[in-house]
């Protein structure tokens, strides 16, 4: 507030003019990139999942690897934030049902995506799951009373899905591809639907005023409990090896705990529709890591897809002029 200087009171019975009320300082608005940048940072961390999973001990079940990372990361999200543990009591009955739905969707992602990878391969499963998630999110948001998707979002999403397809399936476009496995395709689509559901639920709860860390911690903590039977019924000895323990630590701490903290922060300042489109940067990061860390090679179609995907993400990230 501006400083006020005192002046002597006037004499001779003259009236003093009342001071004008101070104008409150305008509330600071978050920067235009406060939403997209944390989401993109989360996508960068998620892009390391494939490289880390490839270093797991031979014979470790794919679903168990994903569930182990979710169990560790979900418990860290729950225990590291006090509001996550108190959130169910602070929610209305309707919000508690939404929270339970979000937890079921979080648990459903590794249980559908990793079996889809085993049946269709990582390339096809990634394209179907990540490519369908923004479409599912837009449709669900519209059908549940959310805002109508904008033309900018529709254009950027369709372009990003095209770029993601070229990037991941580039090596298969020039040769004979294997026969498509229908159950695997359906599992990958269910993974995309699971991702869309918990992104939308998390965004709605955060928009209602609940803290983003508490929302993510409550959903992922409950999901960690839900996937524990998958770990207990299998053979967990692979996770006790030094390599297996490092993989689980990376998936739990980096790609779950840190990534979803960032994702929740981004959901506070951007819509779930935009956020799920921005996370299509994940396969781009995975492709670059494959080239630099694993010695893989990208085809011309894959490089073209990477450029198209970058253009689409830039279209969503760059703020519009008012």
């Amino acid at each position: 507030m501006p400083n006020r200087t005192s002046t002597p009171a006037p004499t001779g019975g003259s009236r003093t003019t009342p001071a004008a009320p101070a104008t409150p300082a305008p509330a600071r608005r978050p920067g235009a990139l406060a939403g997209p940048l944390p989401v993109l940072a989360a996508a960068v961390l998620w892009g390391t999942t494939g490289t880390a999973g490839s270093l797991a001990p031979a014979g470790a079940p794919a679903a168990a690897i994903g569930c182990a990372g979710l169990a560790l990361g979900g418990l860290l999200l729950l225990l590291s934030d006090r509001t996550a543990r108190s959130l169910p009591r602070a929610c209305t009955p309707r919000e508690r049902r939404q929270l339970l739905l979000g937890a079921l969707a979080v648990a459903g992602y590794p249980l559908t995506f990793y079996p889809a990878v085993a049946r269709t391969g990582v390339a096809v499963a990634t394209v179907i799951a990540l490519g369908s998630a923004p479409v599912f999110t837009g449709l669900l948001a519209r059908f549940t009373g959310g805002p109508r998707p904008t033309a900018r979002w529709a254009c950027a999403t369709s372009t990003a899905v095209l770029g993601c397809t070229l990037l991941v399936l580039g090596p298969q476009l020039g040769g004979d591809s294997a026969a498509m496995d229908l159950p695997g395709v359906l599992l990958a689509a269910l993974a995309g639907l699971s991702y869309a559901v918990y992104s939308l639920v998390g965004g709605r709860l955060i928009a209602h005023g609940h803290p983003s860390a508490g929302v993510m911690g409550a959903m992922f903590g409950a999901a960690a409990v839900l996937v524990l039977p998958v770990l207990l019924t299998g053979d967990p000895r692979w996770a006790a090896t030094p390599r297996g323990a490092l993989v689980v630590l990376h998936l739990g701490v980096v790609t779950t705990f840190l990534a979803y903290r960032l994702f929740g922060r981004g959901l506070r300042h951007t819509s779930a529709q935009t956020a799920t489109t921005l996370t299509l940067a994940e396969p781009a990061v995975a492709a670059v890591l494959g080239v630099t860390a694993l010695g893989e090679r990208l085809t011309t179609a894959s490089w073209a897809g990477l450029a198209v995907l970058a253009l689409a993400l830039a279209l969503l990230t760059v703020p519009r002029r008012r």
Side-chain angles (χ1 to χ4, degrees):
M1 292 179 62
N3 295 327
R4 296 179 180 177
T5 56
S6 59
T7 56
T11 58
S14 59
R15 295 183 299 173
T16 58
T17 304
T23 304
R28 294 182 61 184
R29 294 183 177 181
L33 298 179
L37 285 186
V39 174
L40 286 174
V44 170
L45 297 181
W46 290 330
T48 66
T49 302
T51 303
S54 67
L55 301 177
I65 295 173
C67 289
L70 172 58
L72 175 61
L75 290 177
L76 288 176
L77 287 169
L78 177 65
L79 298 177
S80 63
D81 192 271
R82 184 178 59 184
T83 60
R85 301 186 294 276
S86 62
L87 183 65
R89 295 192 300 271
C91 288
T92 64
R94 182 180 181 182
E95 290 174 340
R96 290 193 196 98
R97 292 191 294 269
Q98 292 176 346
L99 199 60
L100 177 59
L101 177 62
L104 290 172
V106 171
Y109 185 83
L111 295 177
T112 53
F113 178 73
Y114 290 100
V117 169
R119 298 186 69 102
T120 66
V122 63
V124 176
T126 300
V127 167
I128 296 174
L130 295 183
S132 63
V135 180
F136 281 132
T137 308
L139 294 176
L140 289 173
R142 181 58 180 163
F143 291 153
T144 55
R148 184 188 299 272
T150 64
R152 185 186 191 189
W153 174 86
C155 178
T157 298
S158 57
T159 305
V161 171
L162 173 62
C164 182
T165 304
L166 290 174
L167 170 65
V168 180
L169 297 184
Q172 301 181 21
L173 295 178
D176 297 332
S177 59
M180 193 67 65
D181 184 87
L182 183 57
V185 170
L186 293 177
L187 285 171
L190 285 175
L193 179 61
S194 298
Y195 178 39
V197 168
Y198 73 73
S199 298
L200 191 60
V201 168
R204 292 280 174 87
L205 292 173
I206 292 170
H208 290 170
H210 297 293
S212 58
V215 171
M216 290 295 157
M219 284 199 305
F220 277 77
V225 176
L226 292 175
V227 300
L228 280 180
V230 178
L231 298 176
L232 297 177
T233 55
D235 186 1
R237 287 181 297 179
W238 64 270
T241 64
R243 179 180 293 185
L246 287 176
V247 169
V248 173
L249 281 174
H250 179 83
L251 295 179
V253 176
V254 177
T255 67
T256 302
F257 175 70
L258 293 178
Y260 279 100
R261 275 291 183 89
L262 291 168
F263 187 65
R265 184 176 300 178
L267 283 178
R268 182 167 292 280
H269 302 297
T270 190
S271 66
Q273 299 97 302
T274 300
T276 50
T277 301
L278 289 172
T279 54
L280 287 174
E282 176 186 345
V285 176
V288 172
L289 281 177
V291 172
T292 58
L294 302 179
E296 298 177 354
R297 300 183 62 182
L298 294 182
T299 64
T300 303
S302 296
W303 284 113
L306 186 62
V308 172
L309 180 57
L311 177 64
L313 296 179
L315 179 62
L316 278 181
T317 305
V318 175
R320 292 175 295 180
R321 291 185 177 182
R322 292 183 178 272

